[in-house]
């Protein structure tokens, strides 16, 4: 399916691949190369659903919160964040996937199979595309955890230099208010309340 391809993949081919994929995997496009990830685990999807519900309840009327939708970042990259906050106008436009200009926040929930890209290449691509806010949720042990209770939410804002700057590190058991992309209070413990 995504294996033998004589040239870099296009956005149109990536969209078609995801529409016809029968296996539940996520096919992302990074600089013309297809990246295949297994379907998310139940715990991973639970965290995404809970975070979506929290964000949806707090979102202003001009924004919408969606899980696992593709986002076109540039002419040869499209990724599928776990949670996306988009302008409501995008949904009304009839477009298949939002462009980076329609996106206010992307969230990646780190999985064992995607930890390197969720912490490295994906945030770099989101920043390069100008998406103003990026959150990363760590559900499992990770280097630098210290005494933090899991899950831990890392919130980043795009700075003037075009790179993400850490604004919050919130461990489970701590309730915090984030003001961007809109005010929301949360304790990451609810993302693993199973």
């Amino acid at each position: 399916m995504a294996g033998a391809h004589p040239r870099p993949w296009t956005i149109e081919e990536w969209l078609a691949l995801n529409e016809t994929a029968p296996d539940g995997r996520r096919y992302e496009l990074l600089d013309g190369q297809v990246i295949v990830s297994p379907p998310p685990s139940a715990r991973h999807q639970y965290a995404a659903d809970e975070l979506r519900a929290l964000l949806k309840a707090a979102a202003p009327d001009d924004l919408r919160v969606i899980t696992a939708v593709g986002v076109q970042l540039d002419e040869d990259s499209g990724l599928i964040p776990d949670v996306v906050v988009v302008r409501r106008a995008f949904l009304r436009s009839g477009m298949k996937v939002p462009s980076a200009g329609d996106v206010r926040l992307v969230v990646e929930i780190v999985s064992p199979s995607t930890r390197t890209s969720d912490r490295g290449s994906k945030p770099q691509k989101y920043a390069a595309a100008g998406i103003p806010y990026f959150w990363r949720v760590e559900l499992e042990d990770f280097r630098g955890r210290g005494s933090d209770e899991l899950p831990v939410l890392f919130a980043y804002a795009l700075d003037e230099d075009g790179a993400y700057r850490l604004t919050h590190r919130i461990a489970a058991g701590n309730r915090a208010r984030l003001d961007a992309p809109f005010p929301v209070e949360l304790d990451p413990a609810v993302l693993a309340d199973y």
Side-chain angles (χ1 to χ4, degrees):
M1 182 182 276
H5 200 270
R7 57 184 163 56
W9 287 73
T10 66
I11 289 291
E12 292 75 24
E13 291 170 322
W14 168 67
L15 291 170
L17 178 62
N18 277 301
E19 286 178 3
T20 60
D23 55 11
R25 294 181 185 180
R26 291 186 182 184
Y27 294 90
E28 297 181 294
L29 187 64
L30 188 60
D31 299 324
Q33 302 299 310
V34 171
I35 300 168
V36 184
S37 299
S41 69
R43 287 181 170 191
H44 180 280
Q45 201 56 40
Y46 180 88
D49 291 343
E50 288 299 302
L51 187 54
R52 180 194 176 271
L54 283 167
L55 290 169
K56 180 182 181 223
D61 193 50
D62 64 327
L63 297 177
R64 294 294 182 261
V65 185
I66 308 170
T67 55
V69 66
V71 174
Q72 182 177 347
L73 301 175
D74 55 36
E75 66 279 349
D76 62 358
S77 295
L79 298 176
I80 305 174
D82 294 301
V83 180
V84 182
V85 175
V86 297
R87 293 182 317 115
R88 183 179 189 185
F90 155 72
L91 290 173
R92 294 179 172 170
S93 74
M95 300 293 294
K96 289 183 180 182
V97 296
S99 66
D102 291 314
V103 178
R104 297 296 169 260
L105 167 69
V106 291
V107 181
E108 292 291 351
I109 299 170
V110 177
S111 295
S113 64
T114 61
R115 77 173 47 104
T116 300
S117 61
D118 288 345
R119 296 174 184 158
S121 58
K122 287 184 178 183
Q124 290 172 359
K125 271 308 231 193
Y126 296 141
I131 295 174
Y133 302 100
F134 168 71
W135 293 359
R136 188 181 85 235
V137 176
E138 296 279 352
L139 295 175
E140 301 178 12
D141 280 340
F142 62 95
R143 183 174 291 163
R145 176 176 156 206
S147 61
D148 287 341
E149 290 295 320
L150 294 170
V152 178
L153 183 141
F154 295 84
Y156 299 85
L158 197 61
D159 65 19
E160 301 84 30
D161 297 329
Y164 285 124
R165 172 184 42 81
L166 181 66
T167 61
H168 294 81
R169 177 183 176 137
I170 311 164
N174 297 287
R175 188 164 188 80
R177 176 186 163 108
L178 294 109
D179 290 319
F182 47 81
V184 62
E185 286 191 25
L186 63 86
D187 176 347
V190 302
L191 306 180
D193 186 25
Y194 25 76

